[in-house]
């Protein structure tokens, strides 16, 4: 099959078929608590490929724009995974800090000072 044919057959990102494929990848993952890592398998080099669905859909995961069941599986996977867990945790923490900083208002004195500087620079 040519690369062009493979692209035609790939499901649209965000479609039910796309999420079904991601769920199948997660179910086959070997680095969760019931996977190869928990069984003591020594082939740990193969584990990062199981993290691809999580890392490729990181923003959808933390934005909660995917089916709840898939989100739960991805979060459970990342909680037990040394490969993608830190990326998921970092993105969630980043979003929390960003949300908190965007909801705070600048002090009035700072607003006045910025307005005065802006007026001087534009004159």
């Amino acid at each position: 099959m040519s690369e062009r044919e493979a692209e035609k057959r790939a499901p649209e990102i965000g479609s039910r078929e796309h999420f079904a494929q991601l769920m199948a990848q997660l179910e086959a993952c070997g680095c969760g608590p019931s996977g190869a890592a928990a069984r003591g398998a020594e082939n740990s080099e193969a584990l990062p490929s199981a993290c691809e669905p999580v890392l490729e859909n990181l923003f959808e995961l933390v934005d909660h724009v995917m089916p709840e069941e898939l989100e739960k599986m991805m979060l459970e996977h990342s909680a037990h995974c040394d490969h993608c867990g830190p990326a998921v945790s970092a993105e969630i923490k980043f979003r929390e800090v960003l949300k908190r900083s965007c909801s705070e208002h600048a002090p009035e004195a700072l607003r006045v000072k910025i307005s005065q500087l802006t007026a001087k620079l534009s004159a």
Side-chain angles (χ1 to χ4, degrees):
M1 176 183 344
S2 72
E3 189 175 327
R4 182 175 255 163
E5 289 173 329
E7 287 177 12
K8 287 181 184 178
R9 293 184 184 190
E12 183 179 331
I13 293 176
S15 69
R16 288 179 186 255
E17 186 179 338
H18 177 249
F19 287 122
Q21 284 184 352
L22 294 176
M23 288 187 72
Q25 287 176 315
L26 279 172
E27 288 170 355
C29 173
C31 54
S34 61
R39 291 189 303 271
E42 295 183 23
N43 188 10
S44 61
E45 291 180 20
L47 298 180
S49 65
C51 301
E52 287 181 35
V54 176
L55 297 175
E56 288 177 359
N57 296 281
L58 181 59
F59 300 129
E60 291 87 351
L61 175 63
V62 297
D63 287 337
H64 309 289
V65 292
M66 61 175 43
E68 193 174 317
E69 184 181 339
L70 178 60
E71 181 179 323
K72 182 180 174 185
M73 286 180 68
M74 286 186 170
L75 289 172
E76 185 176 313
H77 165 85
S78 65
H80 301 286
C81 180
D82 293 336
H83 300 288
C84 64
V88 173
S89 295
E91 185 64 27
I92 290 171
K93 287 177 186 174
F94 174 75
R95 300 286 180 100
E96 290 171 354
V97 169
L98 186 61
K99 185 185 286 187
R100 187 175 62 235
S101 67
C102 291
S103 65
E104 296 175 4
H105 294 286
E108 187 60 33
L110 178 59
R111 291 178 187 211
V112 170
K113 192 172 186 176
I114 291 172
S115 295
Q116 290 171 346
L117 288 172
T118 305
K120 283 182 185 179
L121 291 174
S122 60

